[in-house]
Amino acid sequence: MNRLLNLLNTSIGRKLVVAISGIFLLLFVIGHALGNLTIYIGPSALNSYAHWLQQSPMLWLVRLGMLAIVTLHLWLGIKVSLENRSARRIAYQAGSSLWQRLFEQRMLISGLIIFIFIVAHVAHLTLGAAADATFYRVDERGFVDVYARLVTAFQTPTIAWSYITAMLLVGIHLKHSVRALFQTMGFFHDNYFSLFEGLSWLIVLFVVIGLCSIPLAIQFGWLNHAVAGLSIPSLTGPRFA
Amino acid sequence: MKFILSVWRQPSATATGRLVDYPIDGIGADDSFLEVIDAINENLMAQQQEPIAYEMDCREGICGSCSLMINGSAHGPQRATTTCQLYMREFSDGETITVEPWRADALPVIKDLIVDRSAMDRIMQSAGYISVHTGEAPDANEILVSKHRADRAFEAASCIGCGACIAACPNASAMLFVAAKVVQLALLPQGQPERCHRVISMVEAMDREGFGNCSNHYECAEACPKSIPLSVIAHLNREFLQAGLFGREFSAAAHRVVHEE
Ligand code: HEM
Ligand code: SF4
Ligand code: FES
């Protein structure tokens, strides 16, 4: 134990913890995207998936685990970034432009915004802050009607576009981190460079396109036919006629 | 060719510095960058002014002392080149060229363009060596090393300790330097007895000096005049993890014990 704590006190050890917690977050995001994509199969598929999650005895274990992992990742990510800043307090005169500096800081910036997003997202779609009646709807099988929840929520353009922006930031975060992961974990070789580069694009495109497509589809009414049968006031606008 | 060198002048470690413009004419395209500074210094001395302080020694790209940030690039625009091996044909006539010292809190400016690189020496002193009995040179090929390993060790060993990787890194991290110094010995039979001790001590020493952490920006390998490959950093991470999990305990007290055995 003492040995592991000592590992955490070194720069490489801290980076390893950021990377390992990042792997869990990455797996979570991929799983989350796969699950949410069941929306395209139809309301009952998404609601069954959500029901399966909600009745799982592991639910709270996973939730608490994710909370611990996010906290660890956030804390060490910020700590590492602050250390990096203080390692060069006098900047170069012929230094980088503002855009370059923002680019260099993109992990911290995107990470912090993602954190704010995670809090808002959980409050919005899990806890139901500012929820109306549709939030608590159940479908004909008695499963929570997550489908109606999503369609109602993403009809509001500001909500849909904030989710899309957040997913693009997740993309920026992951584009750097998937390849970096291998290096941090010590698994990197010049021969594999393009393999890891390709893998990181694959994961990023899947996560970003997959997750962005849902609010986009609802905004542009691509899912209309599927909700035609729902008699929710908010779902019967001209779009959902 | 004509140039204006905008050079960082700072009389001492504690004084505040600023960029001063020095116009210079009559430079040949095949003059090296250091020769331009020399020409400016001749003029300054003729006018009884303090010449620009900068570091150099070999002027053939092997000592690593000629460390300058040129237009925001470590060792200037040409890849895999030290400042002394950089020629003015790389610049356009009439260009204003900004020349600054390395910037890292761990490498403080002593004067003008010279920084104190003792932090890098202290990392080497912590364990960047092998302990051997000196005496007669051993017979060649007494210890066999495969060609592949020897090549990779040699590649890492070509690090000249110039510090460009640190200067170029947005985090002022010394990972490429430390990785090269760890890996060159980790790959060879002579480096095995102190392998765990070495990697942990050198990383701890690096941390003590206040260098930043590696964020995988990969600027270091771009800037390195000896083209040390990025993969040495992954190799360092691997060495460190292995030693951390299975090797000896951390902390200064622990390695003293190892040495006294
Ligand atoms: C909670 C908000 C988050 C913050 C504040 C944050 C912050 C950071 C920072 C600052 C780094 C880079 C550390 C460095 O300088 O090397 C990092 C790395 C990483 N992040 Fe995040 N992050 C967050 C959320 C996420 C999420 C949701 C994922 C996955 C989808 C993720 C995946 C990763 C991975 C895999 C790495 C490791 C990259 C490496 O090995 O260098 N992060 N994070
Ligand atoms: S790794 Fe390259 S840039 Fe860094 S000190 Fe060695 S030679 Fe210089
Ligand atoms: S003066 Fe020795 S490397 Fe340039």
Side-chain angles (χ1 to χ4, degrees), chain B residues 34 56-66 82-84 160:
Chain B
L34 297 186
M56 58 85 194
D57 186 14
C58 70
R59 294 210 180 209
E60 54 183 14
I62 54 170
C63 76
S65 40
C66 56
T82 54
T83 303
C84 59
I160 54 177

Side-chain angles (χ1 to χ4, degrees), chain B residues 120 158-166 176-177 180 220 223-226 228:
Chain B
M120 296 169 75
S158 59
C159 166
I160 54 177
C162 65
C165 43
I166 300 161
L176 193 68
F177 164 70
C220 50
C224 174
K226 296 294 146 186
I228 303 289

Side-chain angles (χ1 to χ4, degrees), chain A:
Chain A
M1 199 59 206
N2 188 22
R3 176 175 283 245
L4 286 179
L5 286 179
N6 275 329
L7 197 66
L8 262 178
N9 276 331
T10 63
S11 54
I12 298 183
R14 279 196 294 270
K15 283 279 322 191
L16 268 165
V17 178
V18 174
I20 293 170
S21 55
I23 293 178
F24 283 104
L25 293 173
L26 177 66
L27 292 176
F28 173 83
V29 169
I30 293 175
H32 195 46
L34 279 172
N36 289 349
L37 285 174
T38 56
I39 196 170
Y40 293 112
I41 305 175
S44 72
L46 180 66
N47 291 351
S48 307
Y49 159 69
H51 181 74
W52 172 73
L53 281 184
Q54 281 161 2
Q55 54 77 49
S56 163
M58 303 288 279
L59 180 69
W60 276 100
L61 198 70
V62 173
R63 280 184 175 165
L64 289 177
M66 289 313 290
L67 186 70
I69 287 167
V70 168
T71 312
L72 203 62
H73 191 83
L74 181 81
W75 170 52
L76 287 178
I78 293 175
K79 186 171 160 64
V80 162
S81 303
L82 290 179
E83 281 171 359
N84 294 347
R85 293 252 189 116
S86 60
R88 179 178 294 124
R89 276 173 297 193
I90 302 175
Y92 292 106
Q93 302 275 314
S96 31
S97 63
L98 178 66
W99 283 117
Q100 268 167 306
R101 282 202 299 279
L102 284 177
F103 185 70
E104 282 160 6
Q105 294 293 325
R106 67 194 178 285
M107 291 307 277
L108 184 64
I109 299 169
S110 60
L112 289 176
I113 301 175
I114 294 169
F115 178 67
I116 295 169
F117 166 78
I118 294 175
V119 173
H121 173 51
V122 169
H124 174 216
L125 285 176
T126 308
L127 303 177
D132 60 6
T134 43
F135 193 87
Y136 301 104
R137 260 180 66 108
V138 288
D139 67 8
E140 60 280 5
R141 289 170 299 174
F143 294 175
V144 174
D145 197 348
V146 175
Y147 190 88
R149 226 185 246 191
L150 284 186
V151 173
T152 322
F154 289 141
Q155 276 182 91
T156 315
T158 41
I159 293 187
W161 290 105
S162 341
Y163 270 73
I164 292 167
T165 312
M167 289 313 105
L168 293 178
L169 286 164
V170 169
I172 291 173
H173 201 80
L174 286 186
K175 180 61 201 62
H176 180 77
S177 52
V178 174
R179 195 182 62 189
L181 264 181
F182 291 102
Q183 175 114 6
T184 306
M185 305 286 298
F187 190 80
F188 184 99
H189 191 282
D190 297 319
N191 293 351
Y192 298 144
F193 195 87
S194 37
L195 179 73
F196 294 155
E197 181 71 13
L199 188 68
S200 68
W201 274 118
L202 204 72
I203 293 179
V204 167
L205 290 179
F206 170 72
V207 167
V208 172
I209 295 177
L211 288 175
C212 282
S213 74
I214 296 171
L216 275 178
I218 292 169
Q219 270 294 304
F220 293 114
W222 298 329
L223 282 177
N224 282 1
H225 67 283
V227 276
L230 294 181
S231 58
I232 311 160
S234 63
L235 291 181
T236 51
R239 272 183 188 171
F240 293 93

